[in-house]
Amino acid sequence: MPIKTIIEPFRIKSVEPIRWTTRAQREELLKAAHYNLFLLHADNVLIDLLTDSGTGAMSTNQWAAIMQGDESYAGSRSFDRFKNSIQDITAFRHVIPTHQGRAAERILFGVMCKKGDVVPNNTHFDTTRANVEFTGAEALDLVITEGRQPASTHPFKGNMDVAALESLIERVGRERVPLVMLTVTNNSGGGQPVSMQNVREVSAVCKRHNIPLYFDACRFAENAWFIKLREPGYEDHTPRQIAQEMFTYGDGCTMSAKKDGMANIGGFLCTNDDLLAQQEKDLLILTEGYPTYGGLAGRDLEAIAVGIQEALEEDYLRYRIASTAYLGRAISAAGVPIVQPPGGHAIYIDARGFLPHIPSEQFPGVALGCELYLEGGVRSVEIGTLMFAKSAQMDLVRLAIPRRVYTQSHIDYLVEVILEVWANRQNIRGLRLTYEAPFLRHFTARLEPI
């Protein structure tokens, strides 16, 4: 009989204490934070699932590589290792480092987009959408119908609707579509993967219309693992081979190395277009730094060079996806509505299904996130009406699991907290805004209970 217990494929070498608080303390802390979990001090959070971006634990090999960091301003050895590691996976001609993913997005869209353009994506995440819209272009989500249905068990709910993409290009004209993006995995849609078949089909449409295809590759390794598990013909491929094939269908990518780069900071922008690369480097120099460091220290380049390779290790991916699925199965078995099937980096609770008595304009995702904090000191993030306003297609609460940080007992504790909130869900109230910023309002919004 196979052993079913999930174990972490690593040993713990250093520990960081976490602080317990009482419910009474958390009530005061949440009120002081204006019911916005972003405004809480991290020391007052027990289990922090706000994001998996930059919150992971680095390996001994990454820490060892950090000591080799070459801090030369131009032409450092660390950049060579960084570039070679990324090209080993992506094979893109130009690799441009940035301080994080949104900087890569700002540069890409700043160079390629103008007012009146339309940028289709399966689903834009918050910074992607904001950077597209900042140029005056329209960010359009074209995920398949199943991707907007939390209970659907389609194996590749991150797929783009290829017919809708064709229709869009025909309707607005190729000249208004400077690029197409695919987010792998699809973060805003529940951490759902994109199939290789869909990548090929989207790529074929782009090539037919001479439109560049770019990947938002933050979680490319997790997407590769899902393809291995779920797509016929790939069961004998390694995650590396799958990722390498996927990138052959694109013209470039943006990447936050704080996700599947396994680092605490950093990102990059890749392209095969020589002229575009020069324009991007010109803008990079203006705001980020010289093209061989891009706003990063040499030690950060080293950590990413190692981490992006570690993200493709099968033992790690097997554990990562199994641990997330364990959480999803445990709470859904008790009736908690989640985005099915469980995603790669996070479980997404369907807040509209969890709190049907709270309308979207009263932010059910925020209300649920606040209650999880009050009940157990757990910090999550709303992905819904507060984050995306009128563009929101669902109201979700994302429980993003940092890489190599929490153990199985932390996950079991989390299950208990969620089920306690589920049992008392009828007592949860909605909220209203008292302050919002013009862009990315969820980061600094202030709310109060209704």
Side-chain angles (χ1 to χ4, degrees):
M1 179 177 176
I3 295 172
K4 297 180 181 179
T5 302
I6 300 168
I7 68 167
E8 292 76 16
F10 49 80
R11 293 183 297 212
I12 296 170
K13 203 163 190 174
S14 180
V15 296
E16 178 184 357
I18 53 178
R19 176 173 176 249
W20 292 90
T21 53
T22 65
R23 184 177 180 107
Q25 288 173 325
R26 292 193 291 272
E27 287 173 353
E28 291 302 314
L29 291 164
L30 189 60
K31 183 178 179 181
H34 302 282
Y35 299 89
N36 185 342
L37 299 178
F38 277 100
L39 303 181
L40 287 171
H41 196 286
D43 285 348
N44 296 319
V45 175
L46 185 68
I47 305 291
D48 201 343
L49 309 180
L50 181 73
T51 181
D52 62 318
S53 178
T55 56
M58 290 198 295
S59 68
T60 51
N61 286 336
Q62 284 179 288
W63 283 110
I66 281 172
M67 295 305 295
Q68 299 183 72
D70 176 2
E71 305 302 341
S72 301
Y73 188 90
S76 78
R77 295 184 305 276
S78 295
F79 172 72
D80 291 335
R81 284 189 281 266
F82 171 85
K83 180 182 69 172
N84 292 340
S85 181
I86 293 164
Q87 288 180 329
D88 173 63
I89 299 166
T90 70
F92 291 131
R93 187 178 304 123
H94 300 278
V95 178
I96 303 170
T98 60
H99 80 274
Q100 58 181 34
R102 70 190 63 183
E105 293 170 345
R106 183 191 64 82
I107 292 169
L108 176 66
F109 301 133
V111 169
M112 295 195 71
C113 298
K114 63 183 184 303
K115 187 174 182 179
D117 284 346
V118 180
V119 178
N121 200 325
N122 45 356
T123 312
H124 292 81
F125 197 56
D126 57 354
T127 60
T128 323
R129 175 175 294 278
N131 276 298
V132 169
E133 292 176 346
F134 188 73
T135 69
E138 178 186 359
L140 192 64
D141 296 338
L142 298 179
V143 72
I144 59 173
T145 300
E146 292 88 345
R148 298 188 294 272
Q149 300 169 347
S152 169
T153 56
H154 189 290
F156 291 102
K157 288 168 68 173
N159 283 356
M160 180 176 280
D161 186 329
V162 179
L165 176 62
E166 286 271 26
S167 177
L168 169 72
I169 296 169
E170 182 178 343
R171 176 171 58 85
V172 305
R174 180 262 172 267
E175 66 280 358
R176 288 184 57 198
V177 184
L179 74 158
V180 173
M181 290 204 79
L182 272 177
T183 303
V184 291
T185 57
N186 188 16
N187 190 4
S188 297
Q192 298 295 311
V194 177
S195 71
M196 192 71 81
Q197 180 62 31
N198 188 247
V199 171
R200 280 194 291 266
E201 291 174 358
V202 171
S203 177
V205 171
C206 291
K207 283 182 168 56
R208 191 157 57 249
H209 293 281
N210 196 28
I211 299 172
L213 172 61
Y214 277 73
F215 296 103
D216 177 341
C218 292
R219 299 172 180 87
F220 77 98
E222 292 175 5
N223 200 88
W225 185 252
F226 279 123
I227 288 173
K228 180 179 176 67
L229 292 182
R230 298 178 184 175
E231 190 161 359
Y234 286 93
E235 51 279 335
D236 294 328
H237 287 58
T238 66
R240 175 186 303 280
Q241 290 170 331
I242 294 168
Q244 288 170 331
E245 179 183 342
M246 183 193 75
F247 285 117
T248 66
Y249 297 115
D251 299 282
C253 72
T254 60
M255 171 85 178
S256 169
K258 298 164 68 177
K259 284 84 167 177
D260 278 351
M262 310 284 270
N264 299 131
I265 196 67
F268 54 85
L269 170 60
C270 292
T271 183
N272 283 329
D273 187 315
D274 295 342
L275 177 60
L276 192 66
Q278 189 56 58
Q279 294 173 318
E280 290 167 346
K281 290 176 185 178
D282 290 344
L283 186 54
L284 179 95
I285 290 172
L286 185 64
T287 61
E288 295 288 309
Y290 195 73
T292 57
Y293 79 91
L296 294 171
R299 54 185 174 270
D300 300 322
L301 298 171
E302 296 281 0
I304 295 166
V306 174
I308 200 169
Q309 298 288 334
E310 291 182 345
L312 289 166
E313 292 174 358
E314 294 202 19
D315 285 346
Y316 159 74
L317 284 167
R318 185 179 296 108
Y319 146 78
R320 170 79 168 158
I321 303 306
S323 181
T324 305
Y326 172 88
L327 169 60
R329 286 195 300 268
I331 62 175
S332 63
V336 176
I338 68 169
V339 173
Q340 295 281 10
H345 68 291
I347 291 299
Y348 294 69
I349 300 176
D350 176 10
R352 293 180 188 176
F354 197 110
L355 302 172
H357 60 285
I358 299 179
S360 289
E361 61 267 22
Q362 294 181 14
F363 309 112
V366 180
L368 177 54
C370 287
E371 196 60 33
L372 292 173
Y373 176 70
L374 291 174
E375 181 62 36
V378 174
R379 180 158 64 169
S380 56
V381 70
E382 183 257 19
I383 297 183
T385 305
L386 180 63
M387 182 177 284
F388 292 119
K390 294 179 181 179
S391 299
Q393 298 181 347
M394 296 178 282
D395 279 291
L396 306 175
V397 172
R398 186 186 71 178
L399 305 166
I401 303 172
R403 293 161 181 80
R404 305 186 292 204
V405 169
Y406 293 117
T407 66
Q408 198 60 34
S409 59
H410 290 107
I411 301 299
D412 288 332
Y413 170 83
L414 179 59
V415 170
E416 290 188 48
V417 171
I418 294 168
L419 296 187
E420 187 64 26
V421 173
W422 173 245
N424 297 288
R425 60 193 180 279
Q426 70 278 358
N427 298 324
I428 301 175
R429 294 181 292 162
L431 299 107
R432 59 173 161 250
L433 278 166
T434 62
Y435 166 78
E436 61 177 307
F439 288 98
L440 297 170
R441 66 179 184 175
H442 54 291
F443 286 126
T444 55
R446 298 173 191 167
L447 305 99
E448 63 183 11
I450 293 174

